[in-house]
Each structure stands twice: as C-alpha cells, then as structure tokens.
Amino acid sequence: MRASTHNRTKDWQALDAAHHIHPFTDTAALNKKGARVITRAKGVHLWDSEGHRLIDGMAGLWCVNVGYGREELADAAYSAMRELPYYNAFFQTTHPYAVELAAKLAQLLPAGMTRVLFANSGSEANDSALKLIRYYWNLQGRPEKKIHISREYAYHGVTMAAASLSGLTPMHPQWDLPLPGFAKIPTVYPYAWGGDQDPEDYGLAMARKLEERILELGADRVASFSVEPIHGAGGLMMPPRSYFPEIQRICRKYDVLLHLDEVITGFGRTGEWFGAQTYGVEPDLMSMAKGLSSGYQPISALGLGPRVGDAISSANEEMVHGFTWSGHPVACAVSLKNLEIIERENLVDRIRTDIGPYFAGRVKELARHPMVGEVRTQGLLAAIELMDDKTTRKFFDPKRDVGTHCRNHCFSNGLVMRATRDTMMLSPPFVISHAEVDELVGLAWKAIDLTARDLGRETMVGP
Ligand code: PXG
C-alpha cells in the first residue's frame, strides 16, 4: 500500500470510521472528524497522509527507543521469518531465538533475576505476573496470601487483571472492575500533593501508606505490591529517593512480593538499563515490554528473581500457562538485534551523560513560561505541568481540558506530545539529536503559548 498519495486520506478515514474500533477512543466523536493517518516514519519523525512532518516526542507510545527506520531490525525480522517463521516452546521444545533472548535478558537484568517468561504485551506480562504470584503462594502452602496491592494512578494495562491492578479510576466502571482481591494505596506526587513538606520526608510518608494498607488487610493475606518506578500514563510522577528503599523494606518485612512494572522504564529510558537500578530496588518480578523490541514487534517478558523462579523451577509439576506467541522467533530476533543496537551505540550511557542532561536542561526552560509550573525529568522522560496559577500551585479545573487543548496545538504544529490531565509528557527516542531536542522544545513552547493565548492568559515569546 503506497501511503504518500494525498487523495487517499479521505478514503482511509471513511474505511476507518466504518470498520475500525480504536483503543481508548470516543468512536462517534472520532468518526465525525476523521483520524489522522500516519503513513511513514524515520528517525524521530513521522509523516501523515497529507505530507505533514511531526517530531515524535513520545517515541510512538513510549516504545520506539532506537528510532524509526532501522534497516537492521527489518533484516533481523526477515531473516528469522525465512529461517523459522514460527515455533513454540510448549511441548518440550525450544528454539535459538527465545533461548538467546532469555540469556541476554538474564545478563542485563538486575543480579539474581536469571529467568524470564515471554508474552506479547505489557498487559500480558502483568497478567502473567499476577498468576505467577498466586501460584507462588500456593506452592508455598499459603493460599490465603492473594491480595494484590498497587497504586492509585498506576497504569498496568487492560486485561481483566491488569486493568484491576491499574489505579486510573476511569479504567474501571465500563467493565465492572476491579476484580475482587485488588487493593490500592495513594501514590507519590510531590508537586501536587507534597505541599511544603521536604520531598524526602514526603516520599517516606507515602511509602508507609503501603505498610498501613498491609496491616489493615493483614500481612497474611497480601500477596504482592505492583509498582511502576515512574508513573507513565498516570502523569510521570517521579518518586523522591527515599521512596523505593522504604517500599523494599516494607515488602521484605511483611513477606510481600515486589513486582516492578518496567514496561516504560525498562531498557535505558531512565538513564540506567532499568528503573530498578535508577531507584536502587530489587524486585521479585519485573515486567518488560515496549522498549524490548523498540516497538518493532509485539513482545513482552516477565523477569523472575530467585524466589519465584526457583519455586517454579522446582515445583515438579506443569505450570499451566503460556501463549501461542510466547517467545515468537521473529519477535525474539528483533528484540535481540534491538538490544545489540542499544549496547553498540551506547544509548543508555548517552542518556545518562549526554542527551539526557541536555534534554533536561532544555525542557526545564519551559518552566519560564507563565503558564508552566514544575518541569521534572529523569533520563529521557519529561513532565511539564500546565498551571492555572503557578505561584500558588493551583491546577486548572479539569473540565477545561487544558492538556488536551495543548496537545492539539502540538499536533497541529508538528509535535507529538501527550497529555494526562494538564501534565504534558515527553518520552522521545533515545537517538534524538541535540538539534532535534531544540526543535522539540521550540514547538512545545509554541503549543503552550498558543494554549495560553486561547485561555486569555499571559503569553511569552520563547524559549
Ligand atoms: N504497564 C505500563 C507501565 C504501561 O505503560 C502497560 C503496562 C500495558 O502494556 P500493553 O502492551 O498491554 O499496552 C503499559 C502500556 C499512553 C499509553 O497513552 C500507555 C500505555 C499503553 C497505551 C497508551 O500513555 N502503556
């Protein structure tokens, strides 16, 4: 399908409206205006069917870490598809692609996390995590330990269990979720809720909400705590340094498995290979997806530390779980090549020492804008708070949908930036150049300033 012909936009939009139900979308509203059709991509840029170029400040959905248009990844897929387009690991078989990827992950993962199980999406990895946690406690002869705690504002995916684990409340009513056995604690959001408290004290206090909840529910009933190192879709809230060591202490004290959801933070995004390293935490289970293949293939993995890994490996019975596509050869081949690229091009070091600090410095300039409050960053993640009154830290009335308005200005002006509430979020590809960061920041400023103009607020030329 040639995608560059302008006159096909309307046809695609009509077919899309007639036949395609989009994820997380008001179908009627979208169909009235027609979807934007993205037809090709290269490096950090996308092109739509009208020929407009956009800089992709979100790396797709937080995933295209090595950038678009990598021939090597296409070649890896092609050659695996020719050699072994499909085989599985169900009936006492395996294949080199899954074996080599599992071994590679064992080498990259935090010490002790030597085993992985494959799936095809972040949701499936999390669903698998919850099943393995339940199985683990059953194997231990403690079947009463079944409650999964997670945080408000968490995004862990959309399967029945992953959505139940998620703490974004709009994800629940349409499906009568959460399922029984899921409990929440408040999250850590220093800028919005930390007030004037020292952020480290606030971080400790919020970690102790986990302890309070465990004691309330009874430690003998709590199976696990699931947590993103940094909230992604929930609004890129970043924990103070004090938070995770305290979470770790509490999980150990009450014998609660710690499950880290690294679907966004994995594979370098935070400036270390994993958020676990950035925040100094040792999880029992770790979910990975997105950056594992840089989005070139659907694949996810669940890393198992010694507790769960040893228990399953020595259970002496069949573990009744797995997907047709678990460890798909093409997805594994692409992931292996993707990890090779990240290592060969030193992309994780680049984020820690070069482009990450440059990005942070430039993006933080946006805080000079009269409508921008806090700008926080970690590695190649940034959150920009649009404020009704930055001096008193007053947020806009959510009904005004200021973030969506700003996001629309971004799109119209050639930048993909995502909004959660009025928090604008960036997660660009790791290969973004200094000049492209400059371009991105210029466009972000412009979109914010246009939003301020529309609201009748003070505007400012910049950055
Ligand atoms: N965990 C985390 C931390 C995620 O960010 C998932 C699990 C689920 O992964 P799958 O592959 O099942 O989608 C995610 C996914 C957004 C957005 O708009 C974020 C995600 C997915 C779709 C949209 O920010 N994150």
Side-chain angles (χ1 to χ4, degrees):
M1 193 188 316
R2 280 302 298 161
S4 58
T5 40
H6 295 190
N7 55 8
R8 298 217 47 197
T9 303
K10 289 266 173 279
D11 296 343
W12 281 323
Q13 286 174 332
L15 292 171
D16 191 64
H19 305 296
H20 183 195
I21 300 291
H22 291 234
F24 284 85
T25 295
D26 174 339
T27 303
L30 174 70
N31 290 351
K32 234 179 267 159
K33 64 177 201 174
R36 181 186 301 274
V37 185
I38 301 296
T39 51
R40 67 192 175 91
K42 178 88 185 156
V44 300
H45 289 102
L46 305 166
W47 282 264
D48 71 14
S49 56
E50 297 293 299
H52 300 125
R53 191 181 83 148
L54 297 132
I55 183 161
D56 187 1
M58 283 304 296
L61 274 178
W62 323 79
C63 55
V64 188
N65 293 349
V66 299
Y68 297 95
R70 290 277 192 169
E71 291 286 332
E72 271 183 283
L73 296 183
D75 290 344
Y78 179 68
S79 101
M81 223 178 258
R82 297 191 70 175
E83 189 76 19
L84 185 69
Y86 176 73
Y87 209 70
N88 60 71
F90 273 61
F91 308 115
Q92 319 271 302
T93 66
T94 193
H95 56 75
Y97 304 98
V99 174
E100 286 175 25
L101 182 58
K104 183 69 204 173
L105 287 172
Q107 185 199 329
L108 293 173
L109 283 164
M113 197 161 263
T114 57
R115 299 181 182 93
V116 301
L117 169 150
F118 291 114
N120 313 288
S121 67
S123 301
E124 283 180 7
N126 285 335
D127 211 288
S128 301
L130 296 177
K131 286 181 75 177
L132 264 60
I133 288 163
R134 297 168 85 83
Y135 183 35
Y136 172 80
W137 289 118
N138 287 342
L139 285 171
Q140 301 308 301
R142 302 190 63 186
E144 73 288 357
K145 255 174 118 62
K146 285 290 155 54
I147 299 174
H148 305 288
I149 304 181
S150 55
R151 302 191 298 177
E152 291 165 1
Y153 293 90
Y155 187 83
H156 295 296
V158 296
T159 60
M160 294 286 279
S164 296
L165 198 62
S166 295
L168 288 160
T169 47
M171 294 179 67
H172 295 149
Q174 287 174 350
W175 331 98
D176 304 309
L177 295 175
L179 297 170
F182 288 84
K184 299 290 177 293
I185 59 166
T187 193
V188 59
Y189 191 174
Y191 183 67
W193 301 320
D196 296 327
Q197 212 177 344
D198 173 76
E200 298 307 328
D201 293 344
Y202 169 71
L204 271 184
M206 295 322 284
R208 289 186 186 142
K209 296 285 176 192
L210 175 60
E211 187 161 34
E212 288 166 26
R213 198 83 176 98
I214 292 171
L215 291 172
E216 231 171 74
L217 294 163
D220 52 345
R221 296 175 59 223
V222 177
S224 60
F225 177 57
S226 298
V227 56
E228 299 156 274
I230 295 173
H231 282 283
L236 281 183
M237 293 86 103
M238 298 170 187
R241 295 283 139 186
S242 57
Y243 186 75
F244 273 105
E246 185 66 2
I247 290 288
Q248 181 98 65
R249 182 192 70 76
I250 294 165
C251 286
R252 286 197 177 130
K253 179 168 177 193
Y254 297 102
D255 207 11
V256 165
L257 291 173
L258 179 54
H259 165 220
L260 214 55
D261 183 341
E262 295 250 16
V263 165
I264 285 178
T265 48
F267 306 103
R269 177 61 64 191
T270 65
E272 302 282 347
W273 273 94
F274 295 97
Q277 291 140 350
T278 297
Y279 292 109
V281 62
E282 292 169 19
D284 296 298
L285 305 96
M286 187 192 278
S287 297
M288 298 159 265
K290 299 185 186 279
L292 171 54
S293 68
S294 281
Y296 280 66
Q297 283 285 297
I299 181 168
S300 63
L302 179 67
L304 303 179
R307 281 186 84 174
V308 181
D310 290 351
I312 285 169
S313 302
S314 59
N316 291 315
E317 63 176 14
E318 177 181 332
M319 180 195 72
V320 189
H321 178 71
F323 306 97
T324 306
W325 310 137
S326 299
H328 192 286
V330 178
C332 289
V334 169
S335 300
L336 274 164
K337 187 56 79 177
N338 174 59
L339 298 176
E340 185 190 314
I341 291 171
I342 296 173
E343 285 191 313
R344 191 178 68 223
E345 298 183 5
N346 291 315
L347 293 178
V348 184
D349 285 347
R350 178 172 191 264
I351 292 178
R352 195 173 52 250
T353 62
D354 171 24
I355 198 68
Y358 184 75
F359 172 76
R362 293 287 349 249
V363 173
K364 284 192 172 157
E365 288 178 41
L366 295 168
R368 289 198 288 112
H369 191 281
M371 210 171 71
V372 174
E374 180 177 75
V375 176
R376 53 183 179 272
T377 68
Q378 175 67 49
L380 272 185
L381 290 168
I384 302 148
E385 301 280 15
L386 303 183
M387 303 303 287
D388 194 357
D389 185 347
K390 69 193 262 185
T391 57
T392 59
R393 239 188 256 185
K394 178 169 177 266
F395 287 82
F396 284 104
D397 179 345
K399 286 199 223 55
R400 301 184 71 172
D401 230 354
V402 173
T404 307
H405 194 81
C406 180
R407 186 201 62 189
N408 293 342
H409 274 307
C410 289
F411 257 118
S412 314
N413 284 285
L415 168 66
V416 181
M417 180 153 68
R418 172 146 164 31
T420 286
R421 300 176 298 279
D422 302 329
T423 308
M424 306 309 297
M425 305 192 290
L426 290 166
S427 169
F430 297 178
V431 294
I432 191 167
S433 68
H434 291 67
E436 287 161 343
V437 168
D438 296 344
E439 178 190 346
L440 183 156
V441 171
L443 291 170
W445 184 288
K446 185 173 169 196
I448 291 165
D449 204 47
L450 287 170
T451 308
R453 183 204 62 189
D454 295 348
L455 294 171
R457 299 301 170 108
E458 188 185 343
T459 59
M460 187 186 201
V461 181

